[in-house]
Amino acid sequence: MSEDCIFCKIVAGELPSKQFHQDDLVTAFQDISEQAPLHVLIVPNQHFKDVGEMGDAQAEILGRIAQVAGQLATQEGVASNGWRLVTNVGRDGGQEVFHTHFHLLGGRPLGPLLAR
Ligand code: 5GP
Ligand code: ZN
C-alpha cells in the first residue's frame, strides 16, 4: 500500500468504486470518467507505479490481468464485437495515476489506437 495512492485505497475498499472483480492478485473497477460504454480499470492489488516497473516476478499478476480482461469482456457482452486493453506509462504515454492500471474498453467502435 502506497500512501496517498487512490488506486491502493480503492483496492483496500477505503474509497468507493463500482467493482467488477477482485481476487488475490488483481482488482477491476469502473473508470470514474468512462470513455466507452464499458470502461473498466484492472489493477494489481500491490502498488507498482507503472507496467515498466513490473518484471518476471510479476508475470502471474500480468497474466491474471489479461485473463480477467477476457472474462469481463465476455461477462459484459462485448466479446463478440471486440474490445481493447491498454496501459499508459509516463508523461508521453498520458499516465495520470501512478499505480499500474489497464483500461478495458468496449461497447462502441474504438477507432484507430493513435487517433486523438
Ligand atoms: P491514466 O490516464 O493514468 O491511464 O488513467 C487514469 C484513469 O483513472 C482515468 O481514466 C481516470 O478517469 C481514472 N480515475 C481517476 N481517479 C479515479 C477515481 O478516483 N476512481 C476511479 N474509478 N477512476 C479514477
Ligand atoms: Zn497504489
Side-chain angles (χ1 to χ4, degrees):
M1 172 105 180
S2 174
E3 297 290 322
D4 298 327
C5 170
I6 52 175
F7 288 178
C8 279
K9 289 184 175 147
I10 287 174
V11 167
E14 293 170 10
L15 278 179
S17 71
K18 181 185 171 192
Q19 194 175 100
F20 285 80
H21 173 90
Q22 186 165 52
D23 61 37
D24 56 324
L25 296 181
V26 308
T27 300
F29 55 91
Q30 177 145 341
D31 195 293
I32 205 168
S33 170
E34 65 269 24
Q35 304 298 309
L38 179 67
H39 189 171
V40 175
L41 300 174
I42 310 174
V43 311
N45 294 341
Q46 200 183 334
H47 185 88
F48 301 93
K49 76 174 164 58
D50 59 51
V51 74
E53 201 182 54
M54 301 174 72
D56 273 359
Q58 285 77 46
E60 190 181 4
I61 298 173
L62 292 168
R64 185 72 59 83
I65 287 170
Q67 185 183 29
V68 166
Q71 286 169 355
L72 290 179
T74 298
Q75 178 188 305
E76 299 302 318
V78 305
S80 58
N81 280 355
W83 46 280
R84 180 173 288 161
L85 185 64
V86 65
T87 190
N88 298 321
V89 177
R91 186 190 60 186
D92 284 0
Q95 187 178 7
E96 291 176 351
V97 177
F98 291 86
H99 177 133
T100 302
H101 54 280
F102 285 72
H103 299 255
L104 167 62
L105 295 152
R108 67 167 173 84
L110 293 162
L113 180 59
L114 297 179
R116 281 310 261 167

mmCIF file of all heavy atoms in Angstrom, residues 6-7 10 15-18 29-35 39 41 86-89 93-99 101 103, ligand 1:
data_model
loop_
_atom_site.group_PDB
_atom_site.id
_atom_site.type_symbol
_atom_site.label_atom_id
_atom_site.label_comp_id
_atom_site.label_asym_id
_atom_site.label_seq_id
_atom_site.Cartn_x
_atom_site.Cartn_y
_atom_site.Cartn_z
ATOM 1 N N ILE A 6 -4.653 6.716 -4.881
ATOM 2 C CA ILE A 6 -6.098 6.481 -4.909
ATOM 3 C C ILE A 6 -6.430 5.035 -5.279
ATOM 4 O O ILE A 6 -7.403 4.479 -4.776
ATOM 5 C CB ILE A 6 -6.841 7.464 -5.853
ATOM 6 C CG1 ILE A 6 -6.241 7.496 -7.237
ATOM 7 C CG2 ILE A 6 -6.910 8.851 -5.264
ATOM 8 C CD1 ILE A 6 -7.036 8.357 -8.217
ATOM 9 N N PHE A 7 -5.628 4.424 -6.146
ATOM 10 C CA PHE A 7 -5.952 3.057 -6.547
ATOM 11 C C PHE A 7 -5.633 2.070 -5.429
ATOM 12 O O PHE A 7 -6.359 1.076 -5.263
ATOM 13 C CB PHE A 7 -5.270 2.687 -7.864
ATOM 14 C CG PHE A 7 -5.860 3.372 -9.072
ATOM 15 C CD1 PHE A 7 -5.321 3.179 -10.331
ATOM 16 C CD2 PHE A 7 -6.968 4.218 -8.967
ATOM 17 C CE1 PHE A 7 -5.865 3.796 -11.464
ATOM 18 C CE2 PHE A 7 -7.521 4.855 -10.080
ATOM 19 C CZ PHE A 7 -6.956 4.645 -11.335
ATOM 20 N N ILE A 10 -8.712 2.297 -3.366
ATOM 21 C CA ILE A 10 -9.841 1.593 -3.986
ATOM 22 C C ILE A 10 -9.691 0.080 -3.787
ATOM 23 O O ILE A 10 -10.652 -0.603 -3.424
ATOM 24 C CB ILE A 10 -9.967 1.983 -5.472
ATOM 25 C CG1 ILE A 10 -10.525 3.414 -5.588
ATOM 26 C CG2 ILE A 10 -10.852 0.992 -6.229
ATOM 27 C CD1 ILE A 10 -10.556 3.981 -7.001
ATOM 28 N N LEU A 15 -11.829 3.738 -0.587
ATOM 29 C CA LEU A 15 -12.533 4.684 -1.454
ATOM 30 C C LEU A 15 -13.562 3.873 -2.228
ATOM 31 O O LEU A 15 -13.285 2.732 -2.622
ATOM 32 C CB LEU A 15 -11.572 5.352 -2.447
ATOM 33 C CG LEU A 15 -10.743 6.549 -1.973
ATOM 34 C CD1 LEU A 15 -9.841 7.038 -3.093
ATOM 35 C CD2 LEU A 15 -11.641 7.680 -1.491
ATOM 36 N N PRO A 16 -14.757 4.435 -2.467
ATOM 37 C CA PRO A 16 -15.796 3.676 -3.162
ATOM 38 C C PRO A 16 -15.494 3.497 -4.642
ATOM 39 O O PRO A 16 -14.827 4.328 -5.267
ATOM 40 C CB PRO A 16 -17.044 4.549 -2.970
ATOM 41 C CG PRO A 16 -16.545 5.910 -2.711
ATOM 42 C CD PRO A 16 -15.190 5.786 -2.079
ATOM 43 N N SER A 17 -15.959 2.392 -5.198
ATOM 44 C CA SER A 17 -15.871 2.168 -6.639
ATOM 45 C C SER A 17 -16.927 1.136 -7.001
ATOM 46 O O SER A 17 -17.390 0.381 -6.140
ATOM 47 C CB SER A 17 -14.490 1.648 -7.044
ATOM 48 O OG SER A 17 -14.316 0.310 -6.605
ATOM 49 N N LYS A 18 -17.300 1.106 -8.283
ATOM 50 C CA LYS A 18 -18.133 0.006 -8.770
ATOM 51 C C LYS A 18 -17.187 -1.124 -9.138
ATOM 52 O O LYS A 18 -16.465 -1.046 -10.141
ATOM 53 C CB LYS A 18 -18.958 0.443 -9.983
ATOM 54 C CG LYS A 18 -19.842 -0.693 -10.494
ATOM 55 C CD LYS A 18 -20.581 -0.352 -11.760
ATOM 56 C CE LYS A 18 -21.261 -1.612 -12.315
ATOM 57 N NZ LYS A 18 -21.765 -1.411 -13.681
ATOM 58 N N PHE A 29 -12.390 -2.321 -11.537
ATOM 59 C CA PHE A 29 -13.456 -1.392 -11.132
ATOM 60 C C PHE A 29 -13.701 -0.389 -12.249
ATOM 61 O O PHE A 29 -12.846 -0.157 -13.112
ATOM 62 C CB PHE A 29 -13.086 -0.681 -9.825
ATOM 63 C CG PHE A 29 -11.763 0.036 -9.846
ATOM 64 C CD1 PHE A 29 -11.671 1.363 -10.210
ATOM 65 C CD2 PHE A 29 -10.584 -0.635 -9.524
ATOM 66 C CE1 PHE A 29 -10.447 2.013 -10.249
ATOM 67 C CE2 PHE A 29 -9.353 0.001 -9.552
ATOM 68 C CZ PHE A 29 -9.287 1.338 -9.925
ATOM 69 N N GLN A 30 -14.882 0.222 -12.215
ATOM 70 C CA GLN A 30 -15.282 1.147 -13.279
ATOM 71 C C GLN A 30 -14.462 2.424 -13.241
ATOM 72 O O GLN A 30 -14.248 2.992 -12.168
ATOM 73 C CB GLN A 30 -16.766 1.482 -13.113
ATOM 74 C CG GLN A 30 -17.243 2.495 -14.127
ATOM 75 C CD GLN A 30 -18.666 2.243 -14.555
ATOM 76 O OE1 GLN A 30 -19.192 1.150 -14.390
ATOM 77 N NE2 GLN A 30 -19.293 3.234 -15.103
ATOM 78 N N ASP A 31 -14.041 2.888 -14.410
ATOM 79 C CA ASP A 31 -13.385 4.199 -14.504
ATOM 80 C C ASP A 31 -14.402 5.278 -14.156
ATOM 81 O O ASP A 31 -15.549 5.230 -14.592
ATOM 82 C CB ASP A 31 -12.832 4.407 -15.915
ATOM 83 C CG ASP A 31 -11.840 5.553 -15.982
ATOM 84 O OD1 ASP A 31 -12.273 6.721 -15.777
ATOM 85 O OD2 ASP A 31 -10.650 5.306 -16.226
ATOM 86 N N ILE A 32 -13.953 6.284 -13.386
ATOM 87 C CA ILE A 32 -14.853 7.332 -12.916
ATOM 88 C C ILE A 32 -15.296 8.241 -14.064
ATOM 89 O O ILE A 32 -16.310 8.930 -13.962
ATOM 90 C CB ILE A 32 -14.158 8.146 -11.792
ATOM 91 C CG1 ILE A 32 -15.160 8.801 -10.880
ATOM 92 C CG2 ILE A 32 -13.168 9.146 -12.349
ATOM 93 C CD1 ILE A 32 -14.541 9.372 -9.614
ATOM 94 N N SER A 33 -14.537 8.275 -15.149
ATOM 95 C CA SER A 33 -14.834 9.144 -16.288
ATOM 96 C C SER A 33 -14.811 8.291 -17.556
ATOM 97 O O SER A 33 -13.887 8.359 -18.359
ATOM 98 C CB SER A 33 -13.795 10.265 -16.328
ATOM 99 O OG SER A 33 -13.889 10.993 -17.511
ATOM 100 N N GLU A 34 -15.863 7.479 -17.720
ATOM 101 C CA GLU A 34 -15.799 6.428 -18.735
ATOM 102 C C GLU A 34 -15.756 7.000 -20.151
ATOM 103 O O GLU A 34 -16.475 7.930 -20.471
ATOM 104 C CB GLU A 34 -16.928 5.413 -18.562
ATOM 105 C CG GLU A 34 -18.314 5.925 -18.775
ATOM 106 C CD GLU A 34 -18.957 6.430 -17.493
ATOM 107 O OE1 GLU A 34 -18.225 6.797 -16.549
ATOM 108 O OE2 GLU A 34 -20.196 6.488 -17.454
ATOM 109 N N GLN A 35 -14.894 6.414 -20.964
ATOM 110 C CA GLN A 35 -14.681 6.841 -22.357
ATOM 111 C C GLN A 35 -15.410 5.923 -23.344
ATOM 112 O O GLN A 35 -15.326 6.132 -24.551
ATOM 113 C CB GLN A 35 -13.183 6.837 -22.676
ATOM 114 C CG GLN A 35 -12.338 7.690 -21.732
ATOM 115 C CD GLN A 35 -12.721 9.160 -21.795
ATOM 116 O OE1 GLN A 35 -12.792 9.738 -22.864
ATOM 117 N NE2 GLN A 35 -12.997 9.754 -20.638
ATOM 118 N N HIS A 39 -15.908 0.645 -19.561
ATOM 119 C CA HIS A 39 -14.573 1.204 -19.276
ATOM 120 C C HIS A 39 -14.195 0.795 -17.860
ATOM 121 O O HIS A 39 -14.610 1.413 -16.882
ATOM 122 C CB HIS A 39 -14.569 2.725 -19.436
ATOM 123 C CG HIS A 39 -13.186 3.334 -19.371
ATOM 124 N ND1 HIS A 39 -12.930 4.646 -19.661
ATOM 125 C CD2 HIS A 39 -11.978 2.786 -19.041
ATOM 126 C CE1 HIS A 39 -11.636 4.901 -19.530
ATOM 127 N NE2 HIS A 39 -11.034 3.787 -19.131
ATOM 128 N N LEU A 41 -11.085 -0.413 -15.175
ATOM 129 C CA LEU A 41 -9.654 -0.380 -14.871
ATOM 130 C C LEU A 41 -9.300 -1.663 -14.134
ATOM 131 O O LEU A 41 -9.973 -2.029 -13.169
ATOM 132 C CB LEU A 41 -9.319 0.837 -14.004
ATOM 133 C CG LEU A 41 -9.650 2.193 -14.637
ATOM 134 C CD1 LEU A 41 -9.413 3.321 -13.631
ATOM 135 C CD2 LEU A 41 -8.829 2.427 -15.899
ATOM 136 N N VAL A 86 -5.447 -1.533 -22.740
ATOM 137 C CA VAL A 86 -4.332 -0.615 -22.965
ATOM 138 C C VAL A 86 -3.830 -0.062 -21.633
ATOM 139 O O VAL A 86 -4.601 0.120 -20.692
ATOM 140 C CB VAL A 86 -4.771 0.525 -23.925
ATOM 141 C CG1 VAL A 86 -5.836 1.400 -23.306
ATOM 142 C CG2 VAL A 86 -3.599 1.357 -24.384
ATOM 143 N N THR A 87 -2.511 0.164 -21.572
ATOM 144 C CA THR A 87 -1.936 0.763 -20.367
ATOM 145 C C THR A 87 -1.042 1.923 -20.765
ATOM 146 O O THR A 87 -0.296 1.835 -21.756
ATOM 147 C CB THR A 87 -1.175 -0.288 -19.532
ATOM 148 O OG1 THR A 87 -0.829 0.270 -18.270
ATOM 149 C CG2 THR A 87 0.080 -0.802 -20.221
ATOM 150 N N ASN A 88 -1.133 3.022 -20.039
ATOM 151 C CA ASN A 88 -0.347 4.218 -20.313
ATOM 152 C C ASN A 88 0.821 4.279 -19.337
ATOM 153 O O ASN A 88 0.666 3.969 -18.153
ATOM 154 C CB ASN A 88 -1.217 5.463 -20.147
ATOM 155 C CG ASN A 88 -2.380 5.491 -21.125
ATOM 156 O OD1 ASN A 88 -2.232 5.104 -22.273
ATOM 157 N ND2 ASN A 88 -3.544 5.940 -20.656
ATOM 158 N N VAL A 89 1.983 4.693 -19.838
ATOM 159 C CA VAL A 89 3.164 4.813 -18.984
ATOM 160 C C VAL A 89 3.771 6.203 -19.154
ATOM 161 O O VAL A 89 4.089 6.617 -20.275
ATOM 162 C CB VAL A 89 4.218 3.729 -19.317
ATOM 163 C CG1 VAL A 89 5.477 3.924 -18.474
ATOM 164 C CG2 VAL A 89 3.641 2.331 -19.089
ATOM 165 N N GLY A 93 3.096 8.819 -22.417
ATOM 166 C CA GLY A 93 2.024 7.823 -22.506
ATOM 167 C C GLY A 93 0.688 8.348 -22.013
ATOM 168 O O GLY A 93 -0.335 7.694 -22.185
ATOM 169 N N GLY A 94 0.708 9.514 -21.364
ATOM 170 C CA GLY A 94 -0.536 10.100 -20.868
ATOM 171 C C GLY A 94 -0.990 9.531 -19.538
ATOM 172 O O GLY A 94 -2.168 9.621 -19.191
ATOM 173 N N GLN A 95 -0.052 8.963 -18.776
ATOM 174 C CA GLN A 95 -0.428 8.380 -17.482
ATOM 175 C C GLN A 95 -0.727 9.477 -16.466
ATOM 176 O O GLN A 95 0.045 10.429 -16.324
ATOM 177 C CB GLN A 95 0.713 7.494 -16.965
ATOM 178 C CG GLN A 95 0.338 6.708 -15.718
ATOM 179 C CD GLN A 95 1.465 5.793 -15.235
ATOM 180 O OE1 GLN A 95 2.576 5.833 -15.765
ATOM 181 N NE2 GLN A 95 1.180 5.000 -14.230
ATOM 182 N N GLU A 96 -1.859 9.311 -15.773
ATOM 183 C CA GLU A 96 -2.259 10.302 -14.764
ATOM 184 C C GLU A 96 -2.258 9.729 -13.366
ATOM 185 O O GLU A 96 -2.085 10.472 -12.394
ATOM 186 C CB GLU A 96 -3.652 10.850 -15.096
ATOM 187 C CG GLU A 96 -3.648 11.724 -16.346
ATOM 188 C CD GLU A 96 -5.037 12.210 -16.746
ATOM 189 O OE1 GLU A 96 -6.026 11.737 -16.158
ATOM 190 O OE2 GLU A 96 -5.105 13.050 -17.654
ATOM 191 N N VAL A 97 -2.481 8.441 -13.250
ATOM 192 C CA VAL A 97 -2.476 7.794 -11.929
ATOM 193 C C VAL A 97 -1.322 6.802 -11.913
ATOM 194 O O VAL A 97 -1.258 5.893 -12.757
ATOM 195 C CB VAL A 97 -3.812 7.083 -11.639
ATOM 196 C CG1 VAL A 97 -3.742 6.362 -10.295
ATOM 197 C CG2 VAL A 97 -4.973 8.079 -11.641
ATOM 198 N N PHE A 98 -0.420 6.975 -10.934
ATOM 199 C CA PHE A 98 0.827 6.214 -10.942
ATOM 200 C C PHE A 98 0.734 4.960 -10.075
ATOM 201 O O PHE A 98 1.510 4.761 -9.133
ATOM 202 C CB PHE A 98 1.999 7.153 -10.607
ATOM 203 C CG PHE A 98 2.228 8.123 -11.741
ATOM 204 C CD1 PHE A 98 1.518 9.320 -11.808
ATOM 205 C CD2 PHE A 98 3.065 7.806 -12.802
ATOM 206 C CE1 PHE A 98 1.668 10.190 -12.881
ATOM 207 C CE2 PHE A 98 3.230 8.666 -13.883
ATOM 208 C CZ PHE A 98 2.529 9.862 -13.921
ATOM 209 N N HIS A 99 -0.256 4.156 -10.395
ATOM 210 C CA HIS A 99 -0.436 2.786 -9.908
ATOM 211 C C HIS A 99 -0.847 2.029 -11.168
ATOM 212 O O HIS A 99 -1.898 2.351 -11.754
ATOM 213 C CB HIS A 99 -1.517 2.749 -8.822
ATOM 214 C CG HIS A 99 -1.850 1.383 -8.273
ATOM 215 N ND1 HIS A 99 -1.949 1.128 -6.907
ATOM 216 C CD2 HIS A 99 -2.142 0.215 -8.895
ATOM 217 C CE1 HIS A 99 -2.280 -0.151 -6.726
ATOM 218 N NE2 HIS A 99 -2.406 -0.732 -7.926
ATOM 219 N N HIS A 101 -2.299 0.349 -14.171
ATOM 220 C CA HIS A 101 -3.692 0.009 -14.474
ATOM 221 C C HIS A 101 -3.836 -0.210 -15.965
ATOM 222 O O HIS A 101 -3.191 0.461 -16.768
ATOM 223 C CB HIS A 101 -4.659 1.095 -13.990
ATOM 224 C CG HIS A 101 -4.332 2.468 -14.497
ATOM 225 N ND1 HIS A 101 -3.347 3.251 -13.936
ATOM 226 C CD2 HIS A 101 -4.843 3.193 -15.524
ATOM 227 C CE1 HIS A 101 -3.271 4.396 -14.593
ATOM 228 N NE2 HIS A 101 -4.165 4.391 -15.567
ATOM 229 N N HIS A 103 -6.677 -0.250 -18.997
ATOM 230 C CA HIS A 103 -8.028 0.162 -19.362
ATOM 231 C C HIS A 103 -8.636 -0.935 -20.236
ATOM 232 O O HIS A 103 -8.083 -1.259 -21.298
ATOM 233 C CB HIS A 103 -8.006 1.450 -20.181
ATOM 234 C CG HIS A 103 -7.421 2.646 -19.480
ATOM 235 N ND1 HIS A 103 -8.198 3.661 -18.986
ATOM 236 C CD2 HIS A 103 -6.139 2.986 -19.198
ATOM 237 C CE1 HIS A 103 -7.419 4.589 -18.442
ATOM 238 N NE2 HIS A 103 -6.157 4.213 -18.562
HETATM 239 P P1 5GP B 1 -4.358 7.118 -16.999
HETATM 240 O O1 5GP B 1 -4.526 8.437 -17.727
HETATM 241 O O2 5GP B 1 -3.409 7.269 -15.823
HETATM 242 O O3 5GP B 1 -4.027 5.990 -17.892
HETATM 243 O O4 5GP B 1 -5.787 6.769 -16.454
HETATM 244 C C1 5GP B 1 -6.239 7.123 -15.180
HETATM 245 C C2 5GP B 1 -7.723 6.824 -15.161
HETATM 246 O O5 5GP B 1 -8.143 6.807 -13.820
HETATM 247 C C3 5GP B 1 -8.562 7.875 -15.893
HETATM 248 O O6 5GP B 1 -9.290 7.242 -16.940
HETATM 249 C C4 5GP B 1 -9.474 8.434 -14.789
HETATM 250 O O7 5GP B 1 -10.787 8.694 -15.243
HETATM 251 C C5 5GP B 1 -9.450 7.323 -13.745
HETATM 252 N N1 5GP B 1 -9.638 7.787 -12.370
HETATM 253 C C6 5GP B 1 -9.008 8.827 -11.773
HETATM 254 N N2 5GP B 1 -9.406 8.946 -10.490
HETATM 255 C C7 5GP B 1 -10.300 7.948 -10.274
HETATM 256 C C8 5GP B 1 -11.060 7.536 -9.127
HETATM 257 O O8 5GP B 1 -10.994 8.126 -8.039
HETATM 258 N N3 5GP B 1 -11.881 6.466 -9.288
HETATM 259 C C9 5GP B 1 -11.976 5.794 -10.478
HETATM 260 N N4 5GP B 1 -12.820 4.756 -10.509
HETATM 261 N N5 5GP B 1 -11.268 6.138 -11.565
HETATM 262 C C10 5GP B 1 -10.447 7.204 -11.469
#
